[in-house]
Amino acid sequence: MENIDPLGIHTGESIVVAPSQTLSNDEYNLLRSVSIKVVRHLGIVGECNVQFALNPQCNEYYIIEVNARLSRSSALASKATGYPLAYIAAKLALGMSLVKLRNSITNVTCACFEPSLDYVTIKVPRWDLRKFVRCSNKIGSSMKSVGEVMSIGRSFEEAFQKALRMVDEEVTGFDPYSRTITDDELSSPTDKRVFILATALRQGYSIEQLFQLTKIDRWFLHKFASIIQFIADHSDPSLIQDKSLLREAKRFGFSDKQIGMYCGSTELEVRATRERFQIRPFVKQIDTVSGEWPAQTNYLYLTYHGSSDDVQPSTLEDTPILVLGSGVYRIGSSVEFDWCAVGCLKELRRLGHYTLMLNCNPETVSTDYDMSDRLYFEEISFESVLDVYNFERPHGIVLSMGGQLPNNIAMDLHRQSHVNVLGTFPESIDAAENRFKFSRLLDEMNIKQPKWKELSSFEGASNFCDAVDYPCLVRPSYVLSGAAMRIVFNANDLKAYLSEHGLSKEYPVVISKFILDAKELDIDAVARNGEVVRMAISEHVENAGVHSGDATLVTPPQDLNEHTIEQIRRICFSVAKALQISGPFNLQLIAKDNELKVIECNVRVSRSFPFISKTFDHDFIAVATQILVGVEPEPIDDVLFLHSERVGVKVPQFSFSRLSGADVLLGVEMMSTGEVACFGVDRFDAYLKALISTGYRLPKKNILISVGSYKAKQELLTPIRTLKQLGYELYASIGTADYFEANGISIHPIDWKYEQSETNSNGYENGNGHLDSPSMENNPQTTIADYLANGSFDLVINIPMRSAGTFRASSFVTQGYRCRRLATDYSVPLMTDVKCVKLFVEALRRSTRRGSTIDMNIDSISTTTLIRLPGLIDCHVHLREPGDEHKEDIVTGTASALAGGITMVLAMPNTKPALTNISVLETTEKLYEKKALCDYGLYMGASIDNAQAASEIAHRCIGLKMYLNTTFGDLKLDNMESWMQHFEKWPHNIPIVAHAEGQTVASILCLAEIYGRSVHIAHVARRDEILLIRAAKAKGLLVTCEVTPHHLFLHRDNSQFILNAYGNNEGFCHVKPELQTVEDCQALWDNMDIIDCIATDHAPHTKDEKSKKENPPPGFSGLQTVLPLMLTAVNNGKLTIEQLIEKMYKNPKRIFNLPDQGDDTFIEVDMERKWVIDDKSLLSKSAWTPFIGMQMRGAVHRVVLRGEVVVVDGQVLAEQGTGKNLVHLRDKNNKKIKRVKTPQNLILETKRSPLQMHQTRQRFISEPSALDKPEGIPRTGAGLARQHLLSALQLTRAQCREIFTLAHQYRNCYFHHRPIEPILTGKILSHMFFEPSTRTQCSFTGAMLRLGGSVMPFDSQLSSIQKGESIEDSVRMLMSYADVLVIRHPEMGVVQRAAGVSRIPVINAGDGIGEHPTQALLDIFTIREEIGTFNGLTITMVGDLKHGRTVHSLAKLLTLYNDKSISLHYVSPQSLAMPQDIVDCVAAAGIPQKSHTSLEQILPDTDVLYMTRIQKERFDSEEEYKKACGLYTITPQLMRNAKKHGKMIVMHPLPRLDEISTSFDTDPRAAYFRQAENGLYIRMALLSIILSK
C-alpha cells in the first residue's frame, strides 16, 4: 500500500492507495524482497507490518518500523485485498502452514498465493477538528483522524472521488473551493488539503508547482488534474445529452448530484438520463486472484468500468434484505452503530433471511465478508443505495441500524415507489426529525418541551432570548452530534455566535431555552406498530448541557422516583404510538423539579443501544430486527428493565492528549472518540472500574483542587472533606483553598504564576528543579505548573467558573485552561465536572471501606444463552442390567442420562431375571449401588402370582409396573383378576404405573375408580387415549400420564429418514406402542396441558438386533436426546421452559414422592446452540438413535450433582457409585411418605396447550391485535358540525387545526394499514358536478366510502336540469335522499344559492372562478406536512391567478397565518394577475405581497412554489389563450436555482398541462401528487366533522 502524502504525515492521516501506483517493478520487488528478509530474520509467525520510506529519485530506502503484530493497516489491507490477514495469522499461530490453508474466497487456491488486484482501493481519513477549541487543523506526524473509509473502483479517479463522498456526505467529489488559495496552504497540509489541491488546479497551478509545494508524487497530481480538467471542459448541459460523455463522467467517479451541479440539472434528472441511456454501474467481485481463478465470493463493489455483472441478483434467495451500515467513524457515529448493524445481520440470518450489507468502512465488523450473504463495499448515498437496490431487488431495506447517515436518505428512498423501507414508516422518521412537526406532535399529546424557535434575523433571535431569559442554546437548523452548538448567556454571546456562523433565511438558527441544573435522561426503546415492547432508561451523571455522547451514563436509573419513571413511561409510549414506530428509537428527556421535557427523538438505534443491551444481557437489536421483518418478539414482564442484578456505567474516552492546545472541557458539542462501560453491584463500583478502563489512575497521595464558582464550592464541600478523611494531601488554588480552610478543611494553597515556567502555548518546562513532594513551606516559589510538570499530583479537580456543559472557550487564555491543558499534557488524571467528582469521591470512599478497589464478581457475560434448570427426572427407563448387558448396562445407561441432563432415573423391572421378588431386588440394588452414575429408583414388576409378596417389599421400590399389553419381556398380565389383586394389595401411597394401550386404558381407569386409587398411564401415544384421560381427569379420577419424545416428534409419515439412515431395516422403526398417525401426534401437542410427564421409555437394543428381518425387538433409546428435543420445542414455541420443568421435574417428583435434590444439583443448558443429532456421540451401547439427522437448537452444557460437576459439554466426569437410591434419600429426608397428590383437581379451563399459544402467536404476527380493531379517532369541530362550507373565509384557525389533526391521523392509518372506524355508516353523500372532475369527485367518493358511508351519484347530463329544472329544486329533492351535498358549478354564486335552500350541509367543490375551499385546506395541509411550519415562508403563486379559484381560496385561508411572517408573491402575465379583491383581503391581514412577471427573479427565495394551469375554458378566444401559455415551465434545469429538498416544495392543484415538465416528477421537491393524495384525508376529516352529531 502506498501513501499519497509524503513522509512526515502519519500513515493514519494520509490518503493510502492499494495496490501501489507509482512504484516501478524494480522498486516494488526491492521492497518486497527486503520485507521477506526482515520477516525471516526476525522469525515472524503470523502477521507483520513493515513501513518504508522510499526516495522517489533513486532506490534509497529506510525501514521506519516493523510491527510484529496486526497493525492499524491490517484491517485496511484485508478489506483492500479480500485476504483475511488476522484469520490466516491465527491459523499460523496454531501451527498450520500457508500451503495447507485454503484461500477462503476462492476455496481453490492455497493461502500462500499473494493477493492479485484488478481494481484500485483508496483509503481517506476523516477528521473532526472543528469541534475542538484552540486545536490546530495542521496534520503531521501525530494522528488526529477519528475514522477512515475505503473505496473500490477500476480507475484511480473513480475510486478517489467515491472515497471523498464516503468521508463526508456533504461533499460531492473532488470539487474546488470558490475562494482563492495561497502557497502556504499548499505547503502546510491541513485536514482540508484535498480541496486546497482541487482549488489550486482550478486556479491554474502547474503539476510541477504543486509537486514542489506538496511533495505529492506527480502521477497522483496528474490524476487529480484530469478530474479538474474534465470539470472545466464539460460544465454545461451537453454533459447529460451525450451518452458517451456521460459514461466517461461516471468512469471519472462523478456522482449524479455532482454532474447535475456542473450541468445545471438535478440528481434525479441525471439519473433518469442515465437510465434512458442504459448507463448503470456493474457489480464486480473482489476475488484476490484478478479473475484468473473461479471464485464464489460475496465481496462486491460497483464500477462503471465494465460490461457485465459478476453475480446474478439475489431475487431467487429467500427474502433478501439490504442493511445499511454506519459509514465512516466520526465523533458522534462510531463502532456502536456498527455493533447494531452486525447484530441485525446475525438475527436476520438466524431468522432465515438472505442478507445484503452496504457499508464503506474498513474498520468495521459489518464489512467482513462473512458477516452477510453479500457485502457491497460502497458509499451510503441515495445514488449508490438505489443502484444496489435496483440490482438486487430485495424484500426490503433496513435504515434504522446504521445511525443518522441512512436515516438522512429515508425520505428520498421512500419517494421511489418501489423501495420498501422496513420498520418505521419514513414519513414518521421525517415527523420526528423535522423540529416543527415533532414539536406540534408533542403539543397535541400535551407533552412538554423546552421553548424554542427557528430564527433568521438577529433582531428575532435577540427578542426570543429576551423573552425566555438567558441562557439559551443556539445551533444551526440541522446538526449532527451537537456540531456548532453553543450556550449563550447574554446578548454579547449571542451576537458573537451569530457573527461567527452567519444568519440568513437560507441558513437559520434554532434557539432553545437552556435549563440550568437539570438532569438529562436517555431512553432507548423498541416498539412494534407503536407499542413499546422494550425500554431502558439511562441517566446522565453530569447535569444537562454535556452532550449525551460525552456524558457518563448509568443504567438502570438510580435516582429516579416512581412518579418520574411513570412520566417517562407515559411519554415514551405516547411518542411511539403517535409515530407508529416499528423498530428501535431513542428519546432524550430533561428533568428538573419533577417535570420532564422532551429534547429530541431519534427513530433509529442510538449510541447507547450496545450499552443497555450488554448491561441487561438482553439483545435489543435482535428484538428490533424481529419486528422489522414481522416476527413478534417474545413478551417479557419487565419491559422497562428497572430490575437488574448489576448496574452499568458508561464513561467517555477522549483524545485530548493528541490534540495539542485543545481545551479539556465538555459542552453541548460531542468531543469523545470512544467509550468504555463496566458493571458493578452499584454505580460506584461500576464507575470506578469504568474510569480505570479508560486509563485513569486512582490517586495515591496528592490532589490539586481548583473550583471556580461559589455554588460549586458549596456542592463539593462534603466530597472534599471525604478526600481529606481518606488520607489524601489536598492542594488548591488560593481562592479555593481559602474557602475550604474557612470550612474547617486543611488544604495547601498554591499560586498559579504560569509565566515563570511557560515556554510555549502547547507545553511547559519546569524552571525550579524537581521536588520530591509539593510543599509550600519548602519552596514558596513553586507554582502549579511546576507541580504538574514534576508529576507531583495524582489527580487534578478543576471546575471552571461556568459549570460543565455551559462552557465555550473565551477569547483569552485563562489560568483554568492552562491548568487543564498541563494536566492533559503530563497525563495527570483530570476531573472537570462537579457531579462526576461527587460520584468519584463516594466510589473511592466505598472502595476504601471494602478494602478492595475492584469487585469482579458480576463482570462476566456469556455469549451463549445459558439457563439453569433443576436436575431432570426420567420416570421410564430400561437399563437392561441384570441380564442384557450387551444392550445397555447401568454404567452406560446412567452416563447417557447425565449427558442428557437427567439426574434421576426410574428403572423398569423387565430385566433378566425380571425384578418381581426380593432376591432379584437385592441383587439389582447392589449392582446399582456399585455402578450408578446418577440417582435411581427401582420399579417392582407385577406378575400373576406376586401381588402379596410385592406389596411386602413395596417400601423399597419407587412404584409398581403393570404390563397390560404385549411388550419386550414376559411380564404381561393377561387376566383382570391379577390386575385386581395388585390394586388391592399394593400400598396406596406408592404409585402404580400401567403399560396400557387402546381399550386397555379404559379398563385400567375403570379399575382405578373402583378401588379409589391413583394410576399412572405410561407412554400415551394415540388421540383416543389422550382424550379418554382428559375426560377422566375432568370427572375427578386420580389419573396421571406420560408421553415419550418419539411419539411427540415421530409418526408413520415422517419416519422414512430412520430407515434411510439404517439400511431400510424396518426394525429400526419398531417400538411399543407403535408410531402412530400425524393426527395422533398432533393430538398429544394439542393436549399438552393434561400430560403430566415426559419420559423417554429408553429401551435400547443393538443395531444387529434391530436389523433382524424377523421379530426385531421393539424399543428406542432416548436418554441423551430427550432434553435437546424438548429445548428445540421450546425455541420453536411449542412448549414453554416452565412446562418443560413441570413435566420433567416437578410432576415426576410429586407423583413418585421423590426427595428434593437441593440447590447443589442442577443442569445448565445452552438455548442457542444449533447442532444435528448423530449416533457417534451417543454413550448408550445401542449406538443408534431414531432422531438421527434432526436439527436441534438447545444443548446440555453442564450437569452438577450434589455440588460436583459430573458433565461438561457431553463429557461425563462422574465416577461409578456416585448415584444414590432415591428410596434411601427419600427415607432420610422424609420419615413419612406422603400420599400422592394428582392433578385431577386443577381447573382445566385455565390451561392452554403450547400449540394453542403458538397458534395465537402466529395469528398475532400476521394480524397484530393492535390492528384488529378499527382506529377510533376522536372528532371535535363542533363549529363545523352540520354547517355549510362555502368559502375559505368562514374557517377559523382552530377549525383548521382540528381538520388537519384529524386528517393527519387518517393519513397515518392509511400508511400503517390500520382499519378506520366506519363512523359514517348509514350516511349518504351526493355530489352534483356540472364541470369535469377527477381528483375532487373521486376523493370525496373515496372519503365517504372509507368512513363507511355510501355515495349517490348525480349526473347533470341525465338529470331533470336538462328539462329546465332549477338547481334549487334539484337540491330540495336531493336533500331528502342524502346527508351532505358536494357541488361544483362553472358559475360563481350558484353553490351559495343551493346552500340557501338546503337543510343539509353543502360543500363548495368549486364555483367557477370563485373559490375552492377544500382545495385550500388540502394545500395548507400539504405545506404543513411537507415543511412542518409556516414560519417565515415565502409562497409564490404562478400562472393563471385571475381565474384560479384554488389560489383565491388559498390566499384567503393563508390570512389566518398572518402572525407567521409569511409573504405572498404572484407571478403571472398582467392580464392574468391576482384579482384585486383577493389582494385587498390579504393586505387587510397585514401579509406582505408582491407581483412579478419573471419566475427566475423570485425562485431562489421561494419556499412554496404553487403552479397553476392556464385554464383554456376561461378564455374568450383561442388567441388569448395561446398568448398566456408556455410562459412559466418548471424543469430540472430551472429548479437548480431553487432551494434544496427539505427547504422548498412545488405544488399544483392538477390537472397540469405543460407548466411542469414530467422530467421533474421524480424530484423530491415535487409535492403535487402527494398534495392530490392529501385531498382524500382532508375530505375524510371534513366529512367526519360536518356529519358529526
Side-chain angles (χ1 to χ4, degrees), residues 443-502:
D443 289 342
E444 290 169 357
M445 295 186 291
N446 294 318
I447 295 174
K448 294 180 180 180
Q449 56 190 310
K451 294 179 180 178
W452 70 277
K453 195 169 186 179
E454 185 178 87
L455 300 148
S456 55
S457 69
F458 176 77
E459 182 183 2
S462 180
N463 291 341
F464 176 80
C465 292
D466 290 338
V468 300
D469 292 331
Y470 289 95
C472 290
L473 181 66
V474 192
R475 55 192 156 182
S477 187
Y478 295 93
V479 299
L480 178 66
S481 304
M485 293 171 63
R486 190 179 303 176
I487 297 170
V488 295
F489 287 83
N490 50 52
N492 289 334
D493 289 353
L494 177 65
K495 187 174 182 179
Y497 177 89
L498 297 179
S499 299
E500 179 183 345
H501 291 86

Side-chain angles (χ1 to χ4, degrees), residues 1516-1535:
D1516 295 330
S1517 70
E1518 182 82 14
E1519 184 180 355
E1520 288 182 27
Y1521 168 67
K1522 288 184 177 179
K1523 282 183 182 178
C1525 288
L1527 297 177
Y1528 312 107
T1529 303
I1530 300 301
T1531 64
Q1533 291 73 27
L1534 175 68
M1535 293 302 292

Side-chain angles (χ1 to χ4, degrees), residues 901-914:
I902 309 295
T903 57
M904 295 182 183
V905 293
L906 307 188
M908 287 295 158
N910 55 344
T911 51
K912 292 181 180 179

Side-chain angles (χ1 to χ4, degrees), residues 144-397:
K144 298 178 181 179
S145 62
V146 292
E148 64 186 33
V149 298
M150 185 187 83
S151 65
I152 310 172
R154 286 287 178 97
S155 70
F156 178 86
E157 296 90 342
E158 180 182 51
F160 180 63
Q161 293 221 77
K162 193 187 289 188
L164 294 179
R165 291 191 292 272
M166 291 173 173
V167 169
D168 188 344
E169 63 273 14
E170 298 299 320
V171 170
T172 57
F174 190 54
D175 301 318
Y177 292 135
S178 57
R179 65 180 179 84
T180 302
I181 55 96
T182 64
D183 288 358
D184 288 342
E185 290 180 272
L186 288 164
S187 58
S188 300
T190 67
D191 56 339
K192 302 298 182 186
R193 75 174 319 188
V194 168
F195 304 106
I196 299 292
L197 276 170
T199 308
L201 288 165
R202 189 64 180 266
Q203 283 180 211
Y205 276 74
S206 68
I207 300 297
E208 191 57 35
Q209 282 179 290
L210 291 175
F211 173 72
Q212 295 301 329
L213 288 167
T214 66
K215 298 304 179 184
I216 293 175
D217 193 283
R218 295 178 183 85
W219 188 90
F220 294 118
L221 295 174
H222 275 289
K223 291 294 183 181
F224 297 153
S226 66
I227 298 173
I228 298 300
Q229 190 60 50
F230 189 91
I231 295 172
D233 293 343
H234 303 294
S235 292
D236 57 69
S238 65
L239 180 56
I240 60 171
Q241 296 165 6
D242 186 318
K243 180 177 180 179
S244 61
L245 202 57
L246 181 56
R247 179 178 281 112
E248 185 182 358
K250 298 305 291 183
R251 287 177 173 175
F252 262 94
F254 289 95
S255 67
D256 289 346
K257 182 184 287 187
Q258 198 178 6
I259 292 170
M261 183 174 70
Y262 287 122
C263 68
S265 186
T266 63
E267 178 179 11
L268 285 167
E269 173 66 8
V270 174
R271 183 180 193 87
T273 304
R274 269 203 302 115
E275 291 173 348
R276 189 169 66 252
F277 286 151
Q278 295 184 332
I279 300 173
R280 69 168 182 87
F282 292 96
V283 179
K284 293 295 180 182
Q285 294 175 313
I286 287 183
D287 58 10
T288 76
V289 289
S290 298
E292 296 177 6
W293 290 83
Q296 300 302 316
T297 172
N298 62 346
Y299 190 177
L300 310 171
Y301 66 98
L302 303 180
T303 180
Y304 284 87
H305 293 274
S307 57
S308 64
D309 299 304
D310 286 353
V311 295
Q312 294 299 311
S314 57
T315 49
L316 297 179
E317 301 293 342
D318 188 19
T319 54
I321 291 176
L322 175 61
V323 180
L324 298 191
S326 55
V328 64
Y329 287 167
R330 67 185 85 193
I331 292 180
S333 177
S334 190
V335 69
E336 307 94 336
F337 294 110
D338 191 63
W339 182 89
C340 296
V342 169
C344 178
L345 287 173
K346 288 181 177 178
E347 185 64 13
L348 286 173
R349 297 180 88 171
R350 188 187 71 81
L351 294 171
H353 293 277
Y354 190 83
T355 54
L356 312 167
M357 164 54 65
L358 191 153
N359 203 358
C360 57
N361 188 337
E363 302 174 285
T364 59
V365 177
S366 62
T367 52
D368 290 351
Y369 58 78
D370 57 352
M371 287 309 306
S372 55
D373 295 300
R374 281 189 179 175
L375 166 65
Y376 280 90
F377 217 104
E378 278 299 323
E379 57 181 302
I380 302 174
S381 65
F382 170 73
E383 178 183 340
S384 294
V385 171
L386 198 55
D387 284 337
V388 172
Y389 194 96
N390 288 343
F391 176 78
E392 294 284 0
R393 294 286 172 174
H395 170 68
I397 183 171

Side-chain angles (χ1 to χ4, degrees), residues 640-680:
L640 271 61
F641 287 88
L642 295 175
H643 310 290
S644 174
E645 64 180 14
R646 57 175 165 258
V647 176
V649 173
K650 177 178 78 73
V651 302
Q653 175 79 60
F654 298 94
S655 300
F656 288 115
S657 59
R658 288 184 175 270
L659 303 172
S660 59
D663 198 353
V664 190
L665 270 182
L666 306 185
V668 289
E669 282 198 42
M670 186 173 169
M671 297 182 186
S672 60
T673 53
E675 65 187 24
V676 300
C678 287
F679 308 135

